Structures are given as C-alpha cells and as structure tokens.
Amino acid sequence: MSLLHHWEHEFDKVKVRLHGLVTRLEMSWKKLVNDLEPEEFQAIVKLLQRGHDQARHVIDHGDLPDDEPTVPWELAHGLSILKIGNATPLPQSEDELPTRVLKDGTLLGCRKWELLDLLWSEALLKWIENLRHHAPFATQPALVKMDNDVVLAIAGDWGTGPFDSHAPAVAVANQMQLAEADFTIHLGDVYYAGTHSQEDVDMVGWPQGKHGSFTLNSNHEMYSGAHGYFKELAKRFPVQQGTSYFALYNDDWLVVGLDSAYASDAMNLYMDGTLNAQQIDWMKTLPKRKKLMVLSHHQGFDISGHNKTALYQPVCDALGREPDYWYWGHLHNGICYAPQGGLHARCAGHGAIPYGTTSELNGHARVLWSETQLAGDEAYPERVLNGYVKVQLKGEEIVETFYGEDGSVRWSSQ
C-alpha cells in the first residue's frame, strides 16, 4: 500500500470512529450539564475556549509565549465538536495543516497521535463521563525484595498499541525483551483515554520482567476514572497487588513507584502531579536505604530542568530527602538531565508516541542528552527514535543505558 493510500485508508477509518465519538460526546455533555453547578459549567466552557484559542494561536504564530500556561491539547476540538459558541473548526487533515515540530518536540498536525488528531477527543469524552466517577483507590501496595544485582527496564507513555503502517511500541518492546530485565516498569499513559478496552489491547504486548512488571497511573488512565487501569493491574500486573503505587528494595536501594495522577486536579485534566495522603503516609514508613530511586508518571522538573514542579517537594518531604535518581514520563521525550544537588533526573516518556527534536533543549546547560536521531519513518518523517532505559543496579552502583527502538545505544552513564 502506498503512503497516500495508507493515509486515505486511515482517514476513512477515523471518520467512522469519529462519527460515533461525536455522538457519544454530545450525549455525555448534555448529561453532565444537567449535573453541573453554573460555576462548574462556566469553568469547563472556559477551559474548552482556552484549548481552542491555544491551538489557533500556535497554528497562526508558531508557538505559545514562554510565560503563558498551556492547557491540555485534548480540549482543542471540544468547542467545535460540541457546537459551543462560534468556534471555527480547527484543521482536521494534513492538507489543511502540514505537520510541524514545536519547540518542545511535539508534532503539531492532524495525523494519528499528533496534537490535532481528532481522536484525542475520546480523552475529552471519557473525562466528561468520569469527572465524578473514579475507581476506588487501593491501599495495599506491594513491597518487593529484589536481588542486590538487578536489571530494570523502564519505558513511559508506551500504550499506543501498534500503528497500522508501523509499530514503534512493538519495536521498543522487542528491545526491552533483549534486556532480560528482572522487572519491567511502565511509567503510565495508555491512549487515548485508558479505557478498559484500550488497556486490554494496547498493553497486551508489554514485555514482562523475569520477576514481575509494574505500571503507573497517569492522566490518560484518569480520563476514564482509572477504572480500566485498576482492572488491568489484576489481569497483567499481579505482583502489583491491585494498587497504583509500590516499592522495591534490596540491601542498597529503595525504588519507589508513585501514583501522581489519582489526586491530581480533574479540572486541569490531571496534567500536574500530586500525591494523596495515603501515599504520603506510606512513603514515611518505607525502609531506609543508602540509595533512593523514584518512579512517577509526572515530572519533578519542567522540560528544561530549570524549574521544580509542584510534585517535587512533597515527594522529597515524604521520603525524608531528595532522591538520588528520578525517572518520569508524561513529556514525550527522552532526556537525561545534569545532576542538580544529589538528584539525577531522567525523562523516559518516549516509549511510543511520535515526537520530534526538542529544539528548546539545544545547548541547554542542564541537559546532558536528549533524543535527536531521526527514526527514518516514511509515515512520520519528522519523528525521532522512540526507546526505553535499561537500569542495572549492582550493590550501590548504577549503570543507565538509553536504547533506541533500533537497538542503538542513545546515551549511557558508563
């Protein structure tokens, strides 16, 4: 199939799926409106307006001002789909808007997984449906003893499932299998909205560790109220004991996996990491070790590594100190930051979503490495390599290796 025919086929499928999605979205919106207080209704309409205006500004001017906060791009098409106000529909095809790479590496375009992909509206739909309906928060976290010599394979934002024409997620999973890891850890995000069916389909190829696998909660899982996420734990991640946070330990290391999404602000679509009281209390009881590693979906620094997020200090306070290493996803990038104090921070959110070179990090003093190697993808010519990170712990020593989907070593601490 030629590339042109492939995209025509893809667009036809999207139109069918989108028709049903729009109908469901309109029905869910009407139901939610009846349940909302007037101020809540106005707050949501204001969010949708900001999402639309943000997209329009970036299309017209190339990017947002540095000091202007962004809103989730899942909101972009909401005004026009729900026929609220006089919103002019945004571009919906590559003919209307050829893909371009924004400074943070995201792809502004209309193809699958790009910022204006119409199917992101499913996240908006599920957010509306589950705004007041979250799965119960489980509080029996696993505390697992691991060997003193252990291998972890970590990938974030991996849950796309295979694309029709190619499969970055599959390529990354195949590379992870070669690591022969004791534990594999997904840092969260199953697309588009973490529904039970998406969790079931998109996570089926997740590479299992020899002694177990874990997956973290995230904003996309929360769009469906985390119902699909908690069901998936029981099916495919039994060592996690049905709980969205966990810890691994040995004689030298404590590795803490956190749920930074469940308590996050629903009105900001769970975009900012937050801890709830149950986790904070549990974190204070964990065994102390000389080396401390944190895993979360949301980040502790902004993308530049210059500013700490609101998640940073609560994590440090609950654990009694700054971690030695912290791996997060959420941003669709592969980034190694220079040490700040005693902390070595890493972004491993490049498990599968197509993204481009993050130009705002070029020459940045706080960045040791970010992925810039083009993947050679005919369908997404702007896409750089997806990948994962292999972490080897041997006593107090650690060796980190970022691998690309093609098996190449992209960065190593050795």
Side-chain angles (χ1 to χ4, degrees):
M1 181 184 292
S2 71
L3 189 58
L4 175 61
H5 288 159
H6 161 71
W7 286 118
E8 289 174 344
H9 177 64
E10 282 286 292
F11 189 62
D12 287 342
K13 290 199 306 181
V14 166
K15 284 195 294 185
V16 172
R17 184 174 174 184
L18 189 65
H19 176 73
L21 182 61
V22 169
T23 301
R24 288 167 53 209
L25 187 54
E26 290 172 342
M27 293 174 60
S28 296
W29 175 248
K30 290 176 182 177
K31 181 177 184 300
L32 181 67
V33 166
N34 291 331
D35 295 338
L36 289 174
E37 298 295 330
E39 61 271 17
E40 290 179 303
F41 173 79
Q42 291 301 325
I44 293 175
V45 171
K46 185 177 179 180
L47 266 178
L48 292 172
Q49 184 70 59
R50 286 178 62 199
H52 181 275
D53 292 348
Q54 171 181 284
R56 189 75 262 168
H57 182 93
V58 174
I59 291 168
D60 294 341
H61 302 286
D63 232 314
L64 288 173
D66 290 337
D67 59 349
E68 185 168 326
T70 61
V71 295
W73 281 83
E74 289 85 348
L75 298 169
H77 290 289
L79 277 188
S80 54
I81 288 177
L82 294 171
K83 301 179 178 65
I84 298 172
N86 298 311
T88 304
L90 298 168
Q92 299 181 10
S93 71
E94 193 172 6
D95 288 340
E96 296 176 90
L97 180 68
T99 297
R100 67 179 83 148
V101 182
L102 301 185
K103 64 183 180 181
D104 65 354
T106 51
L107 300 183
L108 179 64
C110 303
R111 299 176 302 186
K112 191 173 180 66
W113 309 123
E114 295 178 341
L115 290 176
L116 291 179
D117 176 359
L118 278 162
L119 291 177
W120 286 120
S121 299
E122 184 169 3
L124 174 61
L125 165 66
K126 301 311 293 184
W127 175 70
I128 287 172
E129 289 180 342
N130 293 280
L131 193 59
R132 299 174 184 270
H133 305 288
H134 293 171
F137 186 77
T139 55
Q140 299 294 323
L143 180 60
V144 178
K145 192 174 191 307
M146 57 184 180
D147 293 337
N148 290 334
D149 189 349
V150 66
V151 174
L152 312 176
I154 302 169
D157 307 67
W158 181 86
T160 61
F163 305 0
D164 278 3
S165 62
H166 57 313
V170 174
V172 170
N174 290 340
Q175 293 301 323
M176 292 177 71
Q177 291 282 18
L178 297 177
E180 298 184 337
D182 296 287
F183 298 95
T184 59
I185 301 159
H186 183 225
L187 299 177
D189 266 4
V190 174
Y191 303 101
Y192 288 89
T195 64
H196 179 51
S197 61
Q198 288 166 359
E199 294 274 350
D200 201 39
V201 171
D202 292 349
M203 293 302 288
V204 70
W206 179 255
Q208 295 293 311
K210 289 185 286 187
H211 301 302
S213 295
F214 299 87
T215 188
L216 295 179
N217 195 11
S218 74
N219 54 306
H220 282 268
E221 273 81 339
M222 287 305 300
Y223 297 151
S224 289
H227 295 284
Y229 168 77
F230 281 107
K231 288 179 181 178
E232 189 67 12
L233 290 184
K235 180 174 183 178
R236 196 161 281 124
F237 299 89
V239 72
Q240 205 162 325
Q241 299 180 181
T243 305
S244 55
Y245 54 105
F246 61 90
L248 307 169
Y249 72 98
N250 61 22
D251 292 340
D252 302 288
W253 287 85
L254 174 65
V255 179
V256 184
L258 298 175
D259 181 343
S260 58
Y262 193 90
S264 185
D265 182 6
M267 289 301 290
N268 193 34
L269 276 73
Y270 315 99
M271 290 296 286
D272 298 321
T274 307
L275 297 179
N276 55 11
Q278 295 96 321
Q279 283 185 96
I280 290 172
D281 291 343
W282 167 79
M283 291 162 73
K284 293 177 179 178
T285 71
L286 290 171
K288 305 299 182 185
R289 292 296 185 266
K290 186 170 183 179
K291 295 291 187 177
L292 175 61
M293 180 186 298
V294 168
L295 311 169
S296 62
H297 179 69
H298 294 88
Q299 68 271 30
F301 294 151
D302 67 0
I303 192 170
S304 73
H306 189 76
N307 301 303
K308 297 171 181 174
T309 66
L311 180 63
Y312 177 89
Q313 199 58 49
V315 168
C316 295
D317 290 345
L319 292 171
R321 69 179 183 90
E322 188 178 57
D324 298 290
Y325 288 81
W326 191 343
Y327 296 87
W328 56 69
H330 196 44
L331 307 175
H332 300 148
N333 306 87
I335 308 169
C336 293
Y337 294 96
Q340 296 192 39
L343 173 61
H344 301 74
R346 316 293 188 226
C347 179
H350 63 323
I353 289 284
Y355 72 110
T357 298
T358 309
S359 59
E360 68 178 299
L361 300 182
N362 292 347
H364 202 294
R366 297 197 175 186
V367 174
L368 297 176
W369 167 83
S370 65
E371 184 57 83
T372 60
Q373 177 64 50
L374 289 173
D377 186 338
E378 183 184 5
Y380 294 83
E382 310 86 359
R383 183 173 76 85
V384 298
L385 289 170
N386 294 103
Y388 82 102
V389 59
K390 176 181 177 181
V391 178
Q392 298 169 274
L393 306 178
K394 191 169 186 178
E396 294 181 17
E397 301 300 316
I398 180 172
V399 176
E400 307 165 274
T401 309
F402 275 76
Y403 286 96
E405 65 194 75
D406 59 356
S408 61
V409 174
R410 307 303 309 140
W411 182 86
S412 178
S413 62
Q414 282 188 316

